[in-house]
Amino acid sequence: MIGTLIGGIVGAAVALLFAPKSGKDLRGNLNQGASDVRGRASEWKNVAYEKGSDLKDKAYVKGSEFKSKALDSTSQMTKNFSEKTQDLTKTVQSKIQDKRNKEDEAEEAAEEVAEAIEEAAEELEKK
């Protein structure tokens, strides 16, 4: 836009110096040209404003979509992590319970062996 304005001013100055028209006609043409440039600049401003507004709206929509997707992904990852943690906890608890059951069985077997030894010792003493 600035280049257009500078070009217009330089063109007007050159036109004044080399114009075959009278000063009054030339000033009228220059005023008309300046008015046309102002009109085009105003149109460009409006177009730039509309496009900027459209881009802002699109950026807001995309940002909202990305935020929603990020929240969904985070929620899903948290849910998956929680489920995996619960599964792992259940597995560990099951293994611990199995070991306790085996320890209890071993303890019972040891008690039975101890009782059998005591009975055998008592029978030997009786004889």
Side-chain angles (χ1 to χ4, degrees):
M1 224 191 242
I2 293 173
T4 302
L5 292 174
I6 292 173
I9 292 170
V10 170
V14 171
L16 280 174
L17 294 174
F18 296 106
K21 295 182 180 182
S22 68
K24 188 175 186 179
D25 292 337
L26 186 58
R27 283 191 301 273
N29 288 344
L30 288 175
N31 286 335
Q32 182 62 38
S35 177
D36 290 345
V37 168
R38 261 187 261 127
R40 278 189 250 144
S42 178
E43 289 174 12
W44 291 344
K45 177 194 75 145
N46 292 338
V47 168
Y49 179 78
E50 288 174 14
K51 286 186 178 184
S53 179
D54 289 345
L55 289 174
K56 178 192 77 153
D57 292 341
K58 286 180 183 178
Y60 180 79
V61 168
K62 287 293 183 185
S64 296
E65 288 174 3
F66 288 142
K67 179 182 176 183
S68 176
K69 285 180 183 179
L71 289 174
D72 289 345
S73 294
T74 302
S75 173
Q76 186 63 34
M77 286 177 16
T78 302
K79 181 181 174 186
N80 288 344
F81 181 74
S82 176
E83 289 173 354
K84 287 182 181 181
T85 303
Q86 288 175 355
D87 290 344
L88 183 60
T89 301
K90 286 178 184 176
T91 302
V92 169
Q93 287 175 343
S94 173
K95 288 182 179 181
I96 289 172
Q97 189 61 40
D98 288 346
K99 286 195 179 250
R100 285 183 183 157
N101 290 340
K102 287 180 183 177
E103 287 174 0
D104 290 344
E105 289 174 7
E107 189 176 326
E108 287 175 11
E111 287 176 5
E112 288 176 10
V113 168
E115 286 176 10
I117 291 174
E118 284 178 15
E119 286 177 10
E122 286 175 6
E123 282 193 30
L124 280 177
E125 286 179 8
K126 287 181 187 176
K127 289 186 184 184

